[in-house]
């Protein structure tokens, strides 16, 4: 029978691969006893040489290479999505993390019941008004306002009433008070006052806790680490999971160096049936003298470019040695970014004439194509999309569940059967259309063609453009510009996975997120509708991209409104900053496009026609870039003889405060159920334009504007 140590080696063989073999036995022994003995050899220093905590070998100790291995506990395991709420529910954890990260705790609110709450005092403006109207001192006016619950008219009446009437009024008040006392009502009033005071105190407490949680969340990105593990799903297949954790006080005090003297790695200890315990372990990889600072390399191996390695360190600015060297490297990043930006700003793009048809030429080409196809007795459609099945009512349509028998295939999923298509078949997707429907791909496409157009916010793929986004951030910081970014997953819609931040550490650490993200400059000065943010969803039909780009935008669009008024001081309030409510727990405000246009023209004194032309032009710019660029970065180069294709995209547009459009994203296979509810002919119009054999091309074209 194998010994416990032999079993340990088998179970943990992959993790042990990064640890010298001579340390396996002492590691096994320490894990078995949960023996945290780093304090025997190392100690925390504060402000030496880092502003916060650092770990040093004790003055009477030294460590030889591979001489020992030490366990580090995990102080907190969490996820970015749940971290703030977890903190708010655990004050002891907040205390510990504030100390560990050297965060000065926000001042606790005063809880004295004897204090005179600020919100009960009348404003200086009200006091002066009452004093002047009643011809009394401001002190008398303040007392009257407090007595009358800040009711101005009542306070003035109280101060100006005739003395005899006042005496009679006070007599009646006393009589009424005696009746109230007899009825027990004063207790109700007292209870209400107590309740109100408690509510105010609880709100102050809540605000204090929120502030502390936000401070920790902001700082945690310089400390938090990750490890990946697998779990078995119900179907028996493994699924990868990522855990985010913060080491204990010892582990978190190990700072970064490009010439480290220890290795620190996570180690998940399996106790068999009793479960697993996550630790980190560190061991010396060179001799460390007495008093010497203990350092490790915090750069993940996945960061390959030298410029990205430098950029990654800005996530750990408070935990990196050689800060003077970091400053010089900061200047390198800035210079590199500024040179690249100048190059992009001067970039020009001249698409081929075949992709720059006028709207009239687009209409002419579509009509000519329709005329070449006489109306068919029946056209067979195969679809898995509910709104197509429900709303496609053209008289010669016939449905089938067999894709091989279909003239037109419409699927809401990524189409895979390209090789099985016949030349006469039409499918509602283009190969490689991820070039526009994946956010990082569209950003790269636009940058490679147009450079830095004013209709698209600067956007970076955090996985491949880390130094670029850090350079942009540092440049804005240097110029004292607003430095606000929105982090978005590459390929999620419906407002999922979004975060607004001005925290460089958080931006950089998204490189470690298992969900790849982009960092996009946040539009801080959007056009507002009744003080609220909005975006506009346009449905765009691309009939073909070769030999000519033939694209149209549906005349009806829909407006998505935030629920609360826009406020830059309220970045964590979803209903204030975001507009997608129909897939969330919040109420959705619906507004038809005609009412929106009418109210916008009235509110802002503009002509919508010109705004719409600018929107159409921005949409066309994206499509021209895709149609003109070879696959896979664009759509060009497909063999059009094998099958026919079209696509329908959902373009999300915002307006700046000077009514210029900004393309936010392009959505694959948008859910058009709401469009069908607004316009029951929506689906019929699309199919009428796609295939002239339905015999209703002209009717369909009236619902579109050619691009």
């Amino acid at each position: 029978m194998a010994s416990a140590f032999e079993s340990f080696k088998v179970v943990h063989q992959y993790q042990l691969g990064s640890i010298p073999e001579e340390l396996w036995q002492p590691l096994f022994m320490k894990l078995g006893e949960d023996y945290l003995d780093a304090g025997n050899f190392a100690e925390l220093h504060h402000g030496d040489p880092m502003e916060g905590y650092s770990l040093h070998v004790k003055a009477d100790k030294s460590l030889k290479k591979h001489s020992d291995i030490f366990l580090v506990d995990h102080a907190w395991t969490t996820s970015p999505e749940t971290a703030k709420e977890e903190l708010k529910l655990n004050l002891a954890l907040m205390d510990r993390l504030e100390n560990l990260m050297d965060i000065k705790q926000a001042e606790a609110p005063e809880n004295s019941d004897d204090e005179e709450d600020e919100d009960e005092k009348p404003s200086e403006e009200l006091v002066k008004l009452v004093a002047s109207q009643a011809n009394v001192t401001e002190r008398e006016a303040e007392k009257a306002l407090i007595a009358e619950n800040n009711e101005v008219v009542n306070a003035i009446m109280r101060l100006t009433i005739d003395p005899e009437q006042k005496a009679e009024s006070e007599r009646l008040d006393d009589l009424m008070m005696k009746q109230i006392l007899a009825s027990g009502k004063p207790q109700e009033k007292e209870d209400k006052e107590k309740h109100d005071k408690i509510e105010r105190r609880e709100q102050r407490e809540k605000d204090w806790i929120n502030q502390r949680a936000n401070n920790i969340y902001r700082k945690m990105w310089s400390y938090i680490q990750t490890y990946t593990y697998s779990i078995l799903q119900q179907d028996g297949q493994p699924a990868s999971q990522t855990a985010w954790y913060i080491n204990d006080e010892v582990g978190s005090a190990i700072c970064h160096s490009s010439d480290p003297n220890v290795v620190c790695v996570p180690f998940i200890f399996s106790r068999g049936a009793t479960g697993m315990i996550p630790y980190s372990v560190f061991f010396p990889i060179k001799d460390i003298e007495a008093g010497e600072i203990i350092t490790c390399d915090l750069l993940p191996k996945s960061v390959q470019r030298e410029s990205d390695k430098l950029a990654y360190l800005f996530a750990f600015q408070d935990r990196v040695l050689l800060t003077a060297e970091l400053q010089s490297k900061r200047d390198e990043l800035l210079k590199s970014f500024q040179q690249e930006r100048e190059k992009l700003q001067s970039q020009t793009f001249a698409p081929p004439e075949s992709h720059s048809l006028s709207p009239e030429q687009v209409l002419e080409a579509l009509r000519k194509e329709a005329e070449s196809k006489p109306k068919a007795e029946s056209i067979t459609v195969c679809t898995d999309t509910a709104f197509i099945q429900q709303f496609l009512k053209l008289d010669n349509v016939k449905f089938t569940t067999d894709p091989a028998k279909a003239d037109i295939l419409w699927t809401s999923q990524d189409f895979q059967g390209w090789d099985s298509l016949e030349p006469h078949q039409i499918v509602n997707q283009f190969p490689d259309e991820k070039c526009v429907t994946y956010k990082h791909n569209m950003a790269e496409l636009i940058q490679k063609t147009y450079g830095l157009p004013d209709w698209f916010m600067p956007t970076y793929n955090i996985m491949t453009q880390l130094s670029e986004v850090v350079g942009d951030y540092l440049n804005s910081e240097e110029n004292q510009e607003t430095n606000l970014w929105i982090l978005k997953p590459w390929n999620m819609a419906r407002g999922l996975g979004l975060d607004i931040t001005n925290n460089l550490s958080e931006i950089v650490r998204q490189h470690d997120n298992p969900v790849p993200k982009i960092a996009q400059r946040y539009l801080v000065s959007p056009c507002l509708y009744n003080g609220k943010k909005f975006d506009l969803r346009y449905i765009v039909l691309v009939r073909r991209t070769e030999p000519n780009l033939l694209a149209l935008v549906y005349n009806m669009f829909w407006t998505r409104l935030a629920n609360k008024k826009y406020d830059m001081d309220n970045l964590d309030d979803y209903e204030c900053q975001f507009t997608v409510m129909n897939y969330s727990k919040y109420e959705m405000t619906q507004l038809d496009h005609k009412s929106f246009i009418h109210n916008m023209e009235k509110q802002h004194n503009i002509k919508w026609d010109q705004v719409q032309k600018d929107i159409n032009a921005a949409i066309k710019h994206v499509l021209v870039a895709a149609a003109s660029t070879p696959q896979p970065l664009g759509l060009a180069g497909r063999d059009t003889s094998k099958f026919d294709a079209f696509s329908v995209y959902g373009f999300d547009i915002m307006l700046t405060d000077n009514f210029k459009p900004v393309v936010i994203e392009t959505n694959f296979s948008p859910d058009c159920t709401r469009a069908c509810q607004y316009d029951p002919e929506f689906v019929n119009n699309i199919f009428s334009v796609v295939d002239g054999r339905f015999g209703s091309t002209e009717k369909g074209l009236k619902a579109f504007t050619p691009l």
Side-chain angles (χ1 to χ4, degrees):
M1 184 176 179
S3 68
F5 177 58
E6 292 300 321
S7 299
F8 168 78
K9 289 194 294 183
V10 171
V11 171
H12 301 89
Q13 56 183 309
Y14 297 112
Q15 297 185 82
L16 290 170
S18 62
I19 298 172
E21 189 169 355
E22 60 264 37
L23 296 178
W24 292 1
Q25 182 77 42
L27 173 62
F28 169 67
M29 299 298 292
K30 290 185 179 184
L31 286 168
E33 298 177 10
D34 189 28
Y35 187 42
L36 303 169
D37 65 331
N40 295 336
F41 295 87
E43 62 188 10
L44 297 178
H45 288 197
H46 188 270
D48 171 31
M50 323 297 292
E51 287 188 9
Y53 291 102
S54 55
L55 190 67
H56 297 248
V57 176
K58 284 186 171 182
D60 59 345
K61 301 285 185 180
S62 65
L63 287 171
K64 299 296 183 183
K65 178 181 176 180
H66 296 176
S67 61
D68 208 340
I69 189 165
F70 303 98
L71 302 186
V72 170
D73 201 6
H74 289 180
W76 184 34
T77 299
T78 185
S79 73
E81 295 78 17
T82 62
K84 287 184 183 179
E85 292 308 312
E86 290 175 15
L87 289 167
K88 292 172 189 177
L89 296 173
N90 193 334
L91 295 183
L93 176 63
M94 284 208 285
D95 288 340
R96 182 181 184 185
L97 293 176
E98 283 170 335
N99 181 64
L100 182 152
M101 300 178 191
D102 197 31
I103 299 171
K104 183 179 179 181
Q105 187 179 116
E107 189 174 337
E110 294 288 338
N111 286 327
S112 171
D113 289 337
D114 297 327
E115 70 185 33
E116 189 172 17
D117 295 312
E118 287 296 321
D119 54 358
E120 292 180 338
K121 288 185 176 181
S123 68
E124 184 179 350
E125 183 181 358
L126 281 183
V127 170
K128 288 182 177 180
L129 175 64
V130 171
S132 65
Q133 292 292 320
N135 195 24
V136 297
T137 66
E138 289 186 4
R139 179 60 184 158
E140 288 175 306
E142 183 179 6
K143 284 183 177 180
L145 280 164
I146 291 173
E148 297 294 342
N149 293 320
N150 292 328
E151 291 288 340
V152 173
V153 175
N154 291 350
I156 293 172
M157 289 178 64
R158 183 185 188 92
L159 291 165
T160 57
I161 192 170
D162 180 80
E164 291 184 7
Q165 288 181 316
K166 185 177 181 181
E168 178 63 12
S169 175
E170 287 176 349
R171 186 186 70 81
L172 293 172
D173 283 346
D174 287 341
L175 182 62
M176 185 171 67
M177 186 57 67
K178 289 176 182 177
Q179 293 174 344
I180 290 174
L181 285 167
S183 66
K185 288 289 178 71
Q187 187 62 44
E188 289 184 19
K189 183 180 179 182
E190 186 179 336
D191 289 347
K192 184 179 186 308
E193 288 176 350
K194 279 185 179 179
H195 175 75
D196 290 346
K197 185 169 285 189
I198 289 170
E199 277 194 342
R200 288 192 296 271
R201 192 159 58 240
E202 287 177 347
Q203 185 60 50
R204 288 194 296 270
E205 180 89 7
K206 182 179 178 182
D207 292 342
W208 175 62
I209 290 172
N210 286 344
Q211 183 182 354
R212 293 179 65 192
N214 287 336
N215 290 344
I216 294 170
Y217 183 84
R218 185 173 183 83
K219 194 74 177 281
M220 79 176 190
W221 297 102
S222 295
Y223 290 86
I224 202 161
Q225 300 294 329
T226 64
Y227 61 84
T228 303
Y229 60 97
S230 294
I231 60 171
L232 284 180
Q233 302 180 101
Q234 289 184 344
D235 60 3
Q237 296 299 311
S240 180
Q241 301 285 320
T242 296
W244 298 76
Y245 68 96
I246 289 178
N247 281 322
D248 66 12
E249 288 74 3
V250 169
S252 292
I254 302 175
C255 62
H256 170 83
S257 173
S258 56
D259 184 24
N261 50 30
V262 305
V263 164
C264 185
V265 293
F267 193 93
I268 315 305
F269 178 41
S270 175
R271 287 183 173 273
T274 58
M276 297 183 296
I277 303 176
Y279 292 96
S280 292
V281 299
F282 74 92
F283 54 89
I285 54 174
K286 58 176 67 172
D287 294 349
I288 311 175
E289 299 302 320
E292 189 176 346
I293 190 170
I294 296 174
T295 62
C296 68
D297 185 357
L298 292 172
L299 275 172
K301 290 183 173 58
S302 58
V303 180
Q304 294 294 316
R305 287 195 306 170
E306 288 303 314
S307 61
D308 286 348
K309 291 179 181 178
L310 168 59
Y312 191 88
L313 293 184
F314 282 88
F316 307 100
Q317 290 185 68
D318 298 334
R319 301 182 62 204
V320 179
L321 284 180
L322 306 172
T323 51
E325 183 181 341
L326 192 63
Q327 179 59 44
S328 69
K329 291 181 176 181
R330 173 194 178 103
D331 296 339
E332 286 178 32
L333 273 180
L334 269 172
K335 185 177 179 181
S336 176
F337 165 75
Q338 290 163 353
Q339 290 173 344
E340 181 64 19
R341 185 179 62 172
E342 288 176 11
K343 178 182 171 185
L344 291 172
Q345 286 174 334
S346 61
Q347 188 170 307
T348 58
F349 176 54
E353 290 185 8
S354 59
H355 295 142
S356 303
L357 300 184
S358 68
E360 292 75 20
Q361 289 173 316
V362 171
L363 280 179
E364 182 182 349
L366 289 168
R367 284 171 174 148
K368 189 173 181 180
E369 184 175 312
E371 289 169 2
S372 68
K373 296 180 179 179
K375 183 174 181 178
E377 183 177 331
S378 67
I379 300 176
T380 307
V381 174
C382 179
T383 182
D384 58 6
T385 307
F387 70 84
I388 299 294
Q389 296 166 347
Q390 182 180 354
F391 289 96
L392 181 55
K393 305 289 187 183
L394 295 172
D395 56 13
N396 51 349
V397 70
K398 181 180 176 183
F399 287 102
T400 181
T401 56
D402 185 356
K405 296 179 180 178
D407 298 306
I408 300 176
L409 292 93
W410 184 302
T411 177
S412 297
Q413 309 301 318
D414 281 324
F415 186 71
Q416 303 295 332
W418 303 107
D419 294 337
S420 64
L421 291 173
E422 298 293 335
H424 73 279
Q425 290 185 300
I426 309 173
V427 64
N428 73 320
Q429 292 176 32
F430 294 111
D432 288 312
E433 66 182 6
K434 291 175 183 176
C435 67
V436 291
T437 60
Y438 277 32
K439 298 175 186 69
H440 66 302
N441 288 341
M442 186 171 81
E444 182 181 3
L445 172 67
I446 290 171
Q447 190 178 91
K448 291 282 178 65
T449 50
Y450 296 100
L452 291 174
D454 57 7
W455 45 265
F456 190 71
M457 301 301 288
T459 304
Y460 303 94
N461 181 352
I462 296 175
M463 304 306 294
T464 61
Q465 295 179 297
L466 201 54
S467 60
E468 288 85 345
V469 68
V470 171
D472 197 342
Y473 183 100
L474 295 176
N475 186 70
S476 295
E477 189 174 66
E478 186 126 312
N479 296 328
Q480 296 184 329
E481 299 169 344
T482 302
N483 223 347
L484 207 54
W485 299 78
I486 183 166
L487 307 174
K488 304 179 182 180
W490 282 358
N491 185 35
M492 285 187 187
R494 303 183 175 184
L496 298 173
L498 305 180
D499 195 21
I500 304 167
T501 185
N502 61 1
N503 183 2
L504 181 57
S505 295
E506 180 178 359
I507 295 170
V508 171
R509 295 304 305 282
Q510 300 311 306
H511 189 278
D512 305 321
N513 199 313
V515 178
K517 291 191 175 185
I518 61 164
Q520 185 176 71
R521 277 209 170 274
Y522 194 59
L523 181 58
V524 296
S525 301
C527 179
L528 303 178
Y529 181 92
N530 291 335
K532 298 177 181 179
K533 284 184 68 173
F534 65 87
D535 72 1
L536 308 174
R537 166 62 64 89
Y538 284 89
I539 299 300
V540 176
L541 168 61
V542 180
R543 180 58 191 90
R544 65 180 75 261
T545 59
E546 298 184 71
N548 307 110
L549 172 63
L550 303 180
L552 313 94
V553 59
Y554 207 77
N555 294 329
M556 178 196 69
F557 60 88
W558 59 91
T559 306
R560 301 184 295 194
L561 276 173
N563 286 340
K564 297 179 181 178
K565 292 197 172 183
Y566 181 57
D567 182 1
M568 280 284 288
D569 294 329
N570 235 343
L571 297 178
D572 286 337
D573 191 334
Y574 185 94
E575 293 182 276
C576 173
Q577 300 297 332
F578 296 104
T579 60
V580 180
M581 304 293 167
N582 48 319
Y583 302 105
S584 69
K585 62 183 179 182
Y586 307 111
E587 291 184 6
M588 180 179 66
T589 303
Q590 297 191 40
L591 189 65
D592 70 274
H593 72 295
K594 291 182 179 178
S595 297
F596 171 79
I597 292 172
H598 172 77
N599 293 333
M600 281 291 291
E601 290 184 330
K602 188 175 179 182
Q603 279 183 39
H604 296 287
N605 193 26
I606 59 171
K607 293 295 182 185
W608 185 257
D609 285 350
Q610 184 55 53
V611 177
Q612 188 62 64
K613 286 178 183 177
D614 292 341
I615 292 172
N616 292 352
I619 292 172
K620 187 171 182 178
H621 287 324
V622 176
L623 297 175
V624 167
S628 306
T629 304
Q631 298 173 324
L633 184 58
L635 295 170
R638 178 175 70 85
D639 184 354
T640 57
S641 65
K642 292 186 175 181
F643 56 88
D644 196 359
F646 70 97
S647 198
V648 173
Y649 302 116
F651 272 76
D652 292 339
I653 306 292
M654 290 185 70
L655 299 179
T656 64
D657 56 1
N658 61 344
F659 314 109
K660 295 300 180 184
V662 174
V663 177
I664 302 300
E665 59 188 49
T666 305
N667 293 276
F668 163 79
S669 188
D671 181 1
C672 295
T673 304
R674 189 152 39 128
C676 296
Q677 292 167 350
Y678 289 158
D679 179 4
E681 290 299 308
F682 174 82
V683 171
N684 292 337
N685 291 331
I686 289 177
F687 276 79
S688 295
V689 174
V690 166
D691 197 330
R693 291 176 296 171
F694 284 111
S696 50
T697 301
E698 280 301 320
K699 180 177 178 295
L701 286 173
K702 289 178 182 177
F704 289 90
T705 296
L707 297 175

